[in-house]
Amino acid sequence: MQRWNRKKAHFPLLVLFFLVFVAVTTFLHSESSIHQIHENPDHVHNHQEASPVVYVKPNLPAHLNRASGILDRFSGCNSTKEYSGRKISWVDRSQQPGKRREGLQGCDIFSGKWVYDNTSHPLYIESDCPYMSDQLACHKHGRSDLGYQYWRWQPHNCNLKRWTVAEMWEKLRNKRLMFVGDSLNRGQWISMVCLLQSVIPADKRSMSPNAPLTIFRAEEYNATVEFLWAPLLVESNSDDPVKHSLNERIIRPDSVLKHSSQFEHADILVFNTYLWWRQGPVKLLWTDAENGACEELDGLGAMELAMGAWADWVSSKVDPLKKRVFFVTMSPTHLWSREWKPESEGNCYGEKEPIGVEGYWGSGSDLPTMRMVDNILSKMSSKVTVINITQLSEYRKDGHPSIYRKFWEPLPPEKLSNPTSYSDCIHWCLPGVPDVWNELLFHLL
Ligand SMILES: *[C@@H]1O[C@H](CO)[C@@H](O)[C@H](O)[C@H]1NC(C)=O
Ligand SMILES: *[C@@H]1O[C@H](CO)[C@@H](O)[C@H](O)[C@H]1NC(C)=O
Ligand SMILES: *[C@@H]1O[C@H](CO)[C@@H](O)[C@H](O)[C@H]1NC(C)=O
Ligand SMILES: *[C@@H]1O[C@H](CO)[C@@H](O)[C@H](O)[C@H]1NC(C)=O
């Protein structure tokens, strides 16, 4: 079932590169018409003016903080050498090791099957959601087979809690729910906003497109549902949601604090990170690096360092009685149809049905990455709840936008005549798969 093809590995990365770029541009275009009503004074909007000590490890001497600066898209490396082997050390400070918060022993809600159910799903109508992204609005962009909207996730040994908007709002009353991550996580955030917004009168809700932090607010509940663009979790040169430096990825593997200054006051946090680590080697600029000297490491190794810095933040800053933290596992891609249909040459384009083979696994979900993530999260089970979307989303080759989304770059005729060549098999149509990720979140909350 598993097929690894080294030769082909570069192509999806290029596609991803392009799509991530398009995705972000698309998103901002579609959001720019939404008014900014009011700002939350808790948030630092201008990185340059804020005190630099906020962004780096507080235990560093002040002169190093200043000298190291904050990464942005203009940052570069003065020199690059091989990875030194330096690690992030973090201690698990959980008071009650092993005490999981799931509370549902005996039922693995992530093990199950998709059931066609056009009475319970979709949970909202695409055109009824004013915050829908043109990148994910597949029906609007010409998709006529709407079967992808009608599937419900059915765990093998129990039922999922039935989604109720009113109950979700009660859980969110006086709280900040924040999604932190990449464009897949942003899709889940848009899904959540679409799921929640319908019961709030138009004059009682607002959206502030304050990239990299975007905030949906519902007055009567005194609640917000926010998205923070942080595709690599730690500080990086790709933290501008519109203009990322695409030639090389530079991260500060030991600094999650540029982002945590924005998310530390959220009550419920939903993190993800994965695809941005799949684009080749990453440059590491340690906070104490002298003269801008970088080290280079493969994506998996770099992701492990970033997860370590994140784990360090969670284990030292999160009180599980006051804050809920979720981690969403890797979102699968469907770039090679031969993985589910031997001998075929396509990708997700034209797919209308989920895969029915139990346990199906494609090359879009990297096993070494999964093992590394498992290993870190297993040490944090008292503070982090896993939303394990990988296997269930693996089945959903039908759920991607393919050609049915807005493309901001004009497509040349040779591409248009070959739909597979520009299909988006990474993101997910809405209503669709990310709504189910949110039903799982609702179930676990
Ligand atoms: C649901 O699907 C069934 C079988 O495809 C179809 O007969 C029925 O009309 C559908 N109902 C709705 C509300 O779409
Ligand atoms: C509104 O929510 C914030 C937390 O997000 C809380 O600090 C504040 O007390 C709440 N306001 C009221 C009036 O309940
Ligand atoms: C790059 O090296 C030059 C010359 O050694 C130095 O002046 C400059 O500060 C370095 N840049 C960074 C970002 O450290
Ligand atoms: C997610 O589920 C897969 C099986 O589908 C499992 O192998 C993996 O360990 C799980 N990951 C986490 C972090 O729970």
Side-chain angles (χ1 to χ4, degrees):
M1 212 170 295
Q2 187 93 27
R3 279 158 194 264
W4 301 102
N5 190 327
R6 284 210 183 74
K7 252 193 289 177
K8 289 276 158 44
H10 296 286
F11 177 57
L13 297 184
L14 285 176
V15 174
L16 176 65
F17 236 62
F18 169 73
L19 287 173
V20 165
F21 175 77
V22 171
V24 162
T25 324
T26 308
F27 174 73
L28 285 171
H29 276 269
S30 64
E31 296 296 315
S32 58
S33 58
I34 300 164
H35 304 298
Q36 179 175 331
I37 311 277
H38 41 230
E39 293 195 7
N40 185 339
D42 290 342
H43 293 127
V44 179
H45 292 299
N46 188 328
H47 294 169
Q48 307 310 321
E49 279 169 19
S51 159
V53 278
V54 173
Y55 301 119
V56 287
K57 293 240 164 197
N59 55 355
L60 285 172
H63 73 275
L64 278 179
N65 289 343
R66 169 126 346 245
S68 51
I70 293 159
L71 289 183
D72 61 23
R73 66 197 162 94
F74 305 110
S75 303
C77 298
N78 255 353
S79 61
T80 300
K81 55 177 192 273
E82 249 178 76
Y83 173 52
S84 61
R86 198 168 161 182
K87 298 269 188 229
I88 302 279
S89 63
W90 63 279
V91 241
D92 180 16
R93 300 181 192 82
S94 329
Q95 285 123 355
Q96 297 149 295
K99 186 181 161 285
R100 287 186 173 268
R101 292 205 50 161
E102 275 119 292
L104 272 164
Q105 272 80 20
C107 177
D108 177 2
I109 54 170
F110 308 114
S111 164
K113 61 177 184 199
W114 289 97
V115 175
Y116 186 85
D117 179 357
N118 61 3
T119 54
S120 71
H121 285 68
L123 297 170
Y124 55 91
I125 308 292
E126 186 194 278
S127 57
D128 288 351
C129 180
Y131 309 105
M132 182 58 68
S133 158
D134 268 338
Q135 177 194 343
L136 310 172
C138 299
H139 185 36
K140 175 179 171 189
H141 290 280
R143 185 158 178 180
S144 56
D145 62 298
L146 299 182
Y148 66 91
Q149 302 189 356
Y150 298 135
W151 297 88
R152 171 170 66 78
W153 179 247
Q154 177 62 58
H156 285 317
N157 298 316
C158 54
N159 292 322
L160 280 187
K161 208 165 129 86
R162 203 189 137 101
W163 168 264
T164 325
V165 182
E167 191 179 341
M168 185 63 182
W169 272 122
E170 284 311 325
K171 288 177 194 285
L172 296 181
R173 190 182 284 279
N174 296 327
K175 293 211 167 82
R176 293 176 63 186
L177 162 62
M178 195 187 286
F179 291 84
V180 180
D182 62 20
S183 60
L184 277 310
N185 198 266
R186 184 171 53 213
Q188 187 177 350
W189 168 72
I190 294 172
S191 154
M192 184 58 94
V193 170
C194 289
L195 283 163
L196 288 169
Q197 61 85 29
S198 64
V199 298
I200 310 290
D203 61 340
K204 291 278 191 321
R205 52 173 145 90
S206 66
M207 180 73 91
S208 62
N210 232 328
L213 182 67
T214 315
I215 305 170
F216 175 75
R217 230 176 266 279
E219 268 174 47
E220 61 196 289
Y221 290 97
N222 182 33
T224 59
V225 182
E226 315 179 26
F227 173 69
L228 179 69
W229 173 257
L232 298 153
L233 291 185
V234 288
E235 178 179 341
S236 80
N237 65 343
S238 305
D239 292 335
D240 182 326
V242 193
K243 296 170 181 153
H244 329 294
S245 167
L246 289 173
N247 297 333
E248 57 177 10
R249 289 271 164 265
I250 307 175
I251 63 166
R252 285 204 188 282
D254 52 350
S255 175
V256 78
L257 290 145
K258 173 178 166 188
H259 299 308
S260 67
S261 65
Q262 310 220 50
F263 63 63
E264 65 189 347
H265 298 299
D267 302 285
I268 305 161
L269 280 158
V270 182
F271 293 95
N272 92 322
T273 191
Y274 171 52
L275 284 173
W276 282 61
W277 301 103
R278 307 274 299 147
Q279 303 172 25
V282 176
K283 303 266 171 74
L284 315 175
L285 189 54
W286 294 91
T287 314
D288 59 4
E290 307 225 322
N291 287 323
C294 292
E295 296 174 5
E296 189 170 271
L297 182 58
D298 61 90
L300 176 57
M303 178 175 172
E304 185 168 8
L305 294 176
M307 291 287 296
W310 169 82
D312 182 53
W313 181 85
V314 172
S315 61
S316 59
K317 295 285 179 0
V318 171
D319 173 355
L321 298 175
K322 299 206 177 104
K323 223 189 257 303
R324 290 296 306 269
V325 177
F326 294 88
F327 189 87
V328 181
T329 60
M330 53 200 181
S331 173
T333 57
H334 292 91
L335 302 169
W336 313 107
S337 61
R338 61 169 176 274
E339 292 177 359
W340 59 86
K341 202 188 295 162
E343 315 282 304
S344 64
E345 294 272 304
N347 52 25
C348 73
Y349 173 71
E351 294 292 345
K352 298 188 168 72
E353 302 262 315
I355 292 166
V357 182
E358 172 124 21
Y360 170 83
W361 197 268
S363 67
S365 301
D366 183 53
L367 287 167
T369 302
M370 190 175 75
R371 279 190 288 271
M372 180 275 287
V373 169
D374 280 359
N375 183 31
I376 291 180
L377 293 178
S378 68
K379 295 182 194 137
M380 307 180 75
S381 59
S382 65
K383 293 195 171 176
V384 179
T385 307
V386 178
I387 305 183
N388 198 336
I389 60 156
T390 310
Q391 178 69 70
L392 64 97
S393 309
E394 271 290 353
Y395 300 126
R396 295 303 306 275
K397 62 179 167 56
D398 61 316
H400 300 283
S402 68
I403 64 171
Y404 305 110
R405 51 164 282 186
K406 187 149 191 163
F407 291 94
W408 293 95
E409 304 288 306
L411 292 158
E414 65 273 18
K415 280 213 156 173
L416 286 171
S417 62
N418 178 13
T420 325
S421 69
Y422 68 99
S423 284
D424 175 353
C425 298
I426 294 168
H427 299 100
W428 302 93
C429 297
L430 291 181
V433 175
D435 302 331
V436 173
W437 304 349
N438 280 324
E439 290 185 82
L440 295 166
L441 171 62
F442 173 68
H443 181 96
L444 294 167
L445 205 53

